[in-house]
């Protein structure tokens, strides 16, 4: 977003220090000028903020259609940095050893405390962030994706702008037969934050949750999934303004186009269930 030049430079330095072959880097200015970057780092400046998925899709296309000029793309938040020098090599090894591995979700840890927030472990059993496992979604600001996934199932959903775009891609990838791993040994340092710091959080979380279900779930599961999430939202007892924004987003999700509908196969529903997260929660 152009407002964290020191953090961006630290991230780029951590990428440059990776073992093995150099990592090609593109920095996308999402509606803002790109600060000074090291020599060899490519930049793209967009005239307007396209949102998180829109900006990342521009970064994908910087490596050719669907990123085809490279085998794997890393997506890293500009206020994070890679904690270790072997992350790129671990990625290369993981994708090389498992031809059906499509996406890797890194572990996000606070740089001062080393703590990983529960919400940053992309599974229901999140009490042990040091346990790696197969999962059903991934973290948008700290991940690696095989570019063949984009070629097969398409890019991130631009219209989402913020929230749930990763799960939309994850469900499509799983439906196409790809697998997703959470790797605790691949670490991105990132300051501890709350997602609700964003003014649009409650509205977009609700709207995009509806879009996610309408786009990807078999029709019979759509009301079940959304009913469960409505109940969970109410149990968390958000403030009145937050709840008002949430219900406004929920209505918007039904009243507006969600994009193309491609419901997942029932065998994918079963796969998600076996992986510990049936698509009703």
């Amino acid at each position: 977003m152009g407002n964290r030049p020191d953090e961006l430079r630290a991230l780029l330095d951590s990428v440059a220090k990776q073992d093995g072959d150099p990592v090609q880097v593109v920095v996308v200015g999402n509606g803002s000028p790109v600060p000074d970057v090291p020599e060899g780092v490519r930049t793209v400046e967009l005239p307007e903020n396209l949102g998180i998925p829109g900006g990342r899709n521009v970064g994908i296309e910087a490596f050719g259609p669907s990123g085809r000029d490279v085998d794997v793309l890393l997506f890293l938040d500009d206020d994070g940095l890679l904690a270790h020098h072997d992350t790129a090599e671990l990625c290369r090894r993981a994708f090389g050893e498992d031809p059906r591995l499509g996406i890797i979700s890194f572990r996000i840890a606070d740089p001062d405390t080393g703590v990983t927030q529960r919400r940053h472990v992309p599974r229901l059993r999140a009490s042990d962030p040091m346990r790696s496992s197969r999962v059903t979604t991934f973290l948008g600001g700290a991940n690696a994706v095989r570019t063949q996934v984009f070629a097969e199932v398409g890019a991130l959903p631009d219209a989402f702008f913020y929230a749930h775009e990763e799960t939309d891609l994850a469900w499509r990838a799983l439906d196409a037969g790809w697998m997703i791993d959470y790797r605790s040994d691949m670490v991105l340092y990132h300051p501890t934050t709350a997602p609700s710091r964003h003014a649009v959080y409650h509205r977009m979380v609700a709207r995009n949750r509806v879009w996610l279900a309408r786009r990807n779930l078999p029709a019979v599961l759509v009301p079940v999934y959304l009913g469960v999430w409505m109940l969970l939202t109410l149990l968390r007892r958000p403030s009145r303004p937050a709840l008002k924004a949430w219900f406004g987003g929920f209505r918007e999700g039904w009243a507006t186009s969600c994009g193309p509908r491609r419901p997942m196969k029932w065998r994918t529903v079963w796969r998600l269930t076996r992986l510990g997260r049936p698509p009703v929660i």
Side-chain angles (χ1 to χ4, degrees):
M1 297 300 296
N3 56 358
R4 295 188 283 237
D6 294 339
E7 291 89 341
L8 174 61
R9 188 59 183 249
L11 169 66
L12 296 176
D13 288 346
S14 74
V15 174
K17 293 175 182 176
Q18 291 298 298
D19 299 334
D21 293 337
V23 178
Q24 299 178 51
V25 179
V26 169
V27 175
V28 178
N30 207 351
S32 67
V34 176
D36 290 337
V37 296
E39 185 177 353
V41 173
R42 289 187 286 159
T43 63
V44 179
E45 292 188 357
L46 303 177
E48 61 178 313
N49 183 357
L50 301 182
I52 293 173
R56 287 180 180 151
N57 285 339
V58 170
I60 295 169
E61 295 299 308
F63 293 96
S66 300
R68 68 184 181 191
D69 295 345
V70 294
D71 295 321
V72 174
L73 287 172
L74 309 183
F75 297 88
L76 305 171
D77 273 358
D78 64 350
D79 55 346
L81 60 86
L82 293 173
H84 309 301
H85 293 177
D86 63 349
T87 303
E89 283 291 89
L90 289 173
C91 279
R92 294 184 182 107
R93 191 181 311 158
F95 285 114
E97 291 174 351
D98 186 350
R100 296 313 301 166
L101 178 61
I103 303 171
I104 298 174
S105 188
F106 298 175
R107 181 168 66 88
I108 294 179
D110 185 275
D112 297 321
T113 66
V115 171
T116 296
Q117 292 179 271
R118 188 180 183 90
R119 70 184 181 88
H120 284 153
V121 182
R123 59 177 179 244
L124 291 179
R125 296 190 178 116
S127 59
D128 182 9
M130 301 307 294
R131 179 173 66 88
S132 299
S133 69
R134 294 284 200 197
V135 290
T136 62
T137 188
F138 64 100
L139 304 172
N143 65 80
V145 182
R146 196 188 294 266
T147 52
Q148 191 178 345
V149 172
F150 295 121
E152 286 190 17
V153 307
L156 294 156
D158 285 357
F160 278 43
F161 197 85
Y162 166 79
H164 302 317
E165 67 274 2
E166 303 93 352
T167 300
D168 186 88
L169 176 64
W171 283 0
R172 286 183 281 129
L174 288 163
D175 198 48
W178 296 101
M179 301 303 294
I180 305 170
D181 279 356
Y182 165 73
R183 289 284 297 263
S184 64
D185 56 340
M186 302 182 189
V187 182
L188 183 84
Y189 281 151
H190 188 282
T192 298
T193 57
S196 55
R197 70 191 186 278
H198 299 292
V200 298
Y201 173 78
H202 297 286
R203 179 177 69 85
M204 289 197 173
V205 160
R207 182 198 68 182
N208 292 358
R209 183 82 69 184
V210 177
W211 281 357
L212 177 69
R214 291 174 58 201
R215 284 163 59 91
N216 295 287
L217 291 181
V220 69
L221 293 184
V222 173
V224 179
Y225 176 82
L226 295 177
V228 167
W229 276 104
M230 180 178 290
L231 178 61
L232 288 172
T233 299
L234 294 173
L235 289 174
R236 290 168 178 168
R237 301 179 68 181
S239 67
R240 182 169 294 184
L243 196 59
K244 181 179 179 181
W246 192 93
F247 274 106
F250 192 84
R251 287 191 297 269
E252 183 182 350
W254 285 107
T256 55
S257 172
C258 65
R261 173 168 163 76
R262 298 187 181 95
M264 66 178 65
K265 308 173 191 72
W266 281 104
R267 69 185 179 203
T268 305
V269 173
W270 176 236
R271 176 186 294 174
L272 289 162
T273 303
R274 285 191 293 111
L275 288 171
R277 190 152 198 165
V280 294
I281 189 169

